[in-house]
Amino acid sequence: MTPLQQRLAGHLQLLYPQSDVMELADQCLAQFGLGADASAPVPHRNLWDERDVMLISYGDSLRSEHEAPLQSLTRFVRTQLHGCISTVHLLPFFPYSSDDGFSVMDYTTVNPSLGSWEQISGLSQDVKIMGDLVINHCSSRSLWFENYKAGIEPGASYFVEAEPDTDLSAVVRPRTSPLLRAVKTAAGERHLWCTFSHDQLDLNFQNPRVLLEFLKIIRLYLDNGIRWFRLDAVAFLWKTPGTPCVNLPETHELIRLLRLLIEHLAPDAVIITETNIPNQENLTYFGNANEAHLIYNFSLPPLLINTLLTGSCTHLKNWLMTMPPAQHGTTYLNFIASHDGIGLRPAEGLLSDWELQSLIATLQRFGGRISARTTASGESKPYEINISLWDALRGTSSQGPDPWQFARFVCAAAIMAALEGIPAYYIHSLVATGNDNERVENTGSYRAINRHIWQQDALQQALIGDTHHARVFDAMRALLRLRRQQPAFHPNATQYTLHTGEALFAFWRQSIDRRQSLFAVYNISDQPQSFNLSELNLIATDDWVDLISGEAHNDRMAQITLMPYQYLWLSNRRS
């Protein structure tokens, strides 16, 4: 037995103790096209550096009458974002029935309205691609589900059944719809588990045949140039009635198994877990550097937006000081906005109930919508705020809309650019797209408010005209190019939070080779703020320059005044 077979059998024994684990291990290797004697990757190896910046986009966020949307996106990346990003998170690009791609009908086919596998492979020649492995559920219009109803494989044993009188009160729900869906089958009525919606039927990973199906799917993605895998909604993967059915030990075990196989076949591959849950639970998905390479910093969006709306960085600073430095070979994925809303569960225990209600009320004033979930007691509770980032930062909680929207917006992007981890920018944040209320009305989905589809010609005109879109886009590109030149912004570079008061948010980064020190200081309020350089304890023998303005700061006792939402990146080396 090879070391790989031995490790694989160990994971399978914990997941499928009733199976012949050696035979199942051989099936996994064969399905994945992996030899049993494959070499193990080097542990604790960083597969990223300061040049890594991610773009988040749907395949059709840009549309043109003359070409497939994936071609339009590829051209935008090549011509408009050259030197700004390294990776594209290409949101689900499969045939789907709902949820803008996250209700997958066929995992093996590119939606023909978007393009083809050839175009995805072509994009992978320019940037790394992160693809969604929608692993918890599939569409009710999938072949698997049609086969389930007919009682034939593949599909007959692929879904989670439960009796309607089963006590499922402990199950954690991210939605308000009933958990079980009644389905008529050839064998009579059955009730299927639906964590998210009745069009999204949960897959039964207690059946090893489902695991083997997904190994084949992962291999297909690898063959077509995808190297980063986002495990969508993975925290809900394993179901055991009588438990919360979230973050179960078997879920972690399955992630370790997938990591083992993927990194043996493709040592440059990366796994990201999408676990929109409270902060301490989220951190467990690093495992012992043997589960996710990256985890989403889900607490960052509500805390950072709250900071800029209130003018107080207290909660953001306190949270940052509790976050453990990621081991080498792991790091955080930072984001403020994405295709989903601003999650509120990751702010639980970090913001008080009153502060959460104030945040919700402020963003509702700015056009936001509120999505709810059902708690174990049956109570409806806010789950996420649906709003574009541009509109979310149009003012403050106390004063409402104000003239500082542009400065506040860029300040938010600059904070994320400098934090430990890899920053990920939603395409609609790069171009400051506002709330798409018309799309909400047309789709009936609150999340559509931040899923605008740009006609390519219209966006091109917006980015060259005298518009806020052009101002933001130019500022964002300059910011990202500058960020990618700083070794102190390596995702695993040292970070220390500084104590500079409530209205100034500051932290120190030092490159892994210790050659660059960089102090990032931000005025997160709508009033000018001053501080003395002596507070930063600058090394007297070094020359210091603000990378943003190019201004030298060699008077260690000088007082600096930052205008509302102004910031500086004070470095001891020029880029």
Side-chain angles (χ1 to χ4, degrees):
M1 184 187 302
T2 68
L4 174 56
Q5 287 174 310
Q6 187 173 11
R7 291 178 62 189
L8 182 56
H11 294 305
L12 293 168
Q13 180 64 45
L14 292 172
L15 290 168
Y16 308 109
Q18 305 306 315
S19 299
D20 181 336
V21 294
M22 290 311 304
E23 179 182 354
L24 184 55
D26 288 341
Q27 290 176 328
C28 288
L29 293 171
Q31 192 80 304
F32 211 54
L34 183 63
D37 58 350
S39 299
V42 177
H44 299 288
R45 182 167 61 103
N46 293 327
L47 300 171
W48 44 78
D49 61 25
E50 63 273 10
R51 294 168 295 178
D52 277 282
V53 176
M54 183 178 290
L55 170 72
I56 305 169
S57 179
Y58 280 102
D60 64 349
S61 291
L62 302 177
R63 282 184 182 171
S64 170
E65 295 179 1
H66 312 295
E67 62 187 359
L70 284 172
Q71 289 177 302
S72 298
L73 179 63
T74 299
R75 179 179 297 104
F76 184 75
V77 168
R78 288 174 177 169
T79 62
Q80 301 293 325
L81 295 177
H82 180 72
C84 298
I85 66 167
S86 64
T87 308
V88 172
H89 173 198
L90 192 59
L91 288 155
F93 46 80
F94 323 98
Y96 69 95
S97 56
S98 64
D99 200 14
D100 284 344
F102 285 93
S103 186
V104 179
M105 295 166 57
D106 181 357
Y107 289 87
T108 66
T109 303
V110 175
N111 190 335
S113 69
L114 298 180
S116 65
W117 278 118
E118 288 74 20
Q119 287 158 351
I120 290 175
S121 297
L123 180 59
S124 73
Q125 303 305 306
D126 297 282
V127 291
K128 293 174 282 193
I129 295 180
M130 180 162 86
D132 280 279
L133 194 66
V134 186
I135 195 170
N136 179 72
H137 50 260
C138 72
S139 168
S140 65
R141 290 173 55 191
S142 64
L143 176 62
W144 290 348
F145 183 56
E146 291 301 318
N147 286 349
Y148 169 80
K149 290 186 290 184
I152 59 177
E153 297 290 1
S157 58
Y158 281 21
F159 298 95
V160 182
E161 297 180 348
E163 294 299 324
D165 59 354
T166 303
D167 183 4
L168 301 175
S169 60
V171 175
V172 171
R173 296 299 317 286
R175 298 290 185 272
T176 57
S177 57
L179 177 61
L180 299 182
R181 171 186 167 178
V183 176
K184 293 181 179 179
T185 76
E189 186 175 75
R190 298 290 185 269
H191 292 82
L192 296 185
W193 199 291
C194 302
T195 296
F196 290 90
S197 80
H198 282 190
D199 185 46
Q200 294 167 303
L201 301 154
D202 285 42
L203 292 159
N204 180 18
F205 271 88
Q206 295 188 32
N207 176 4
R209 294 187 63 166
V210 175
L211 170 65
L212 294 172
E213 285 278 10
F214 272 88
L215 293 181
K216 183 166 61 175
I217 291 165
I218 293 169
R219 178 59 195 262
L220 174 67
Y221 295 178
L222 285 166
D223 289 344
N224 283 279
I226 294 173
R227 285 296 180 273
W228 290 37
F229 292 87
R230 177 184 183 268
L231 305 187
D232 178 65
V234 70
F236 300 95
L237 194 64
W238 201 271
K239 282 80 178 175
T240 302
T243 74
C245 297
V246 63
N247 308 322
L248 295 187
E250 292 87 351
T251 295
H252 288 276
E253 195 67 39
L254 190 63
I255 294 170
R256 288 191 283 269
L257 184 154
L258 294 178
R259 163 84 177 253
L260 176 70
L261 290 169
I262 289 173
E263 66 182 4
H264 272 77
L265 184 63
D268 60 337
V270 171
I271 290 176
I272 300 95
T273 48
E274 190 267 330
T275 47
N276 191 356
I277 50 180
N279 191 55
Q280 291 304 312
E281 297 172 26
N282 189 33
L283 287 168
T284 64
Y285 283 87
F286 277 141
N288 186 22
N290 62 349
E291 293 186 34
H293 294 88
L294 278 74
I295 63 170
Y296 278 84
N297 243 339
F298 275 109
S299 296
L300 181 60
L303 290 180
L304 179 51
I305 291 170
N306 182 73
T307 291
L308 292 163
L309 296 182
T310 64
S312 170
C313 67
T314 299
H315 294 303
L316 179 63
K317 182 173 63 176
N318 289 343
W319 164 74
L320 201 62
M321 289 190 295
T322 68
M323 293 296 285
Q327 297 184 54
H328 282 286
T330 67
T331 194
Y332 298 102
L333 187 68
N334 295 323
F335 73 109
I336 319 172
S338 72
H339 60 291
D340 288 340
I342 301 163
L344 296 175
R345 288 206 71 207
E348 293 175 5
L350 302 174
L351 297 177
S352 68
D353 289 344
W354 180 88
E355 288 165 326
L356 283 170
Q357 289 304 315
S358 177
L359 175 63
I360 291 169
T362 300
L363 294 182
Q364 284 182 306
R365 288 168 60 195
F366 296 164
R369 315 291 181 98
I370 308 302
S371 295
R373 66 182 179 93
T374 300
T375 66
S377 63
E379 176 189 5
S380 180
K381 190 172 183 178
Y383 172 73
E384 68 178 15
I385 306 169
N386 304 110
I387 191 170
S388 76
L389 185 62
W390 175 249
D391 281 306
L393 296 175
R394 67 166 68 166
T396 65
S397 296
S398 60
Q399 302 298 320
D402 64 18
W404 299 108
Q405 185 176 15
F406 171 79
R408 186 181 295 112
F409 188 87
V410 176
C411 181
I415 289 174
M416 189 173 76
L419 287 171
E420 175 189 356
I422 296 173
Y425 294 89
Y426 191 31
I427 191 169
H428 294 301
S429 297
L430 286 183
V431 300
T433 308
N435 290 338
D436 191 338
N437 292 304
E438 181 179 354
R439 189 167 167 81
V440 172
E441 299 307 316
N442 290 339
T443 63
S445 170
Y446 285 168
R447 284 182 167 178
I449 200 170
N450 198 26
R451 295 180 179 180
H452 181 73
I453 296 175
W454 277 97
Q455 293 301 315
Q456 188 172 6
D457 291 344
L459 180 59
Q460 183 176 350
Q461 290 301 311
L463 296 182
I464 62 175
D466 183 18
T467 67
H468 76 270
H469 302 290
R471 289 182 64 207
V472 167
F473 191 51
D474 289 345
M476 294 288 281
R477 289 190 296 178
L479 174 75
L480 296 181
R481 287 180 177 128
L482 181 61
R483 187 249 186 225
R484 299 181 79 213
Q485 297 170 5
Q486 314 309 320
F489 288 156
H490 187 289
N492 296 90
T494 299
Q495 175 175 290
Y496 282 108
T497 308
L498 305 179
H499 297 280
T500 48
E502 190 175 49
L504 289 172
F505 177 58
F507 49 91
W508 173 71
R509 303 293 308 277
Q510 185 182 57
S511 61
I512 292 175
D513 64 8
R514 300 187 179 182
R515 293 183 179 182
Q516 184 186 23
S517 285
L518 197 154
F519 292 87
V521 185
Y522 306 82
N523 178 1
I524 49 81
S525 77
D526 60 358
Q527 299 296 318
Q529 301 292 332
S530 299
F531 69 99
N532 290 312
L533 279 180
S534 60
E535 296 179 47
L536 301 183
N537 195 26
L538 304 179
I539 298 173
T541 56
D542 288 353
D543 293 326
W544 295 89
V545 62
D546 174 22
L547 298 175
I548 305 301
S549 66
E551 182 179 354
H553 289 282
N554 291 319
D555 181 357
R556 306 297 187 271
M557 303 305 294
Q559 185 178 72
I560 305 294
T561 298
L562 296 178
M563 296 303 292
Y565 309 105
Q566 184 183 356
Y567 59 94
L568 59 80
W569 287 349
L570 198 58
S571 172
N572 65 345
R573 61 174 265 179
R574 294 179 182 270
S575 61

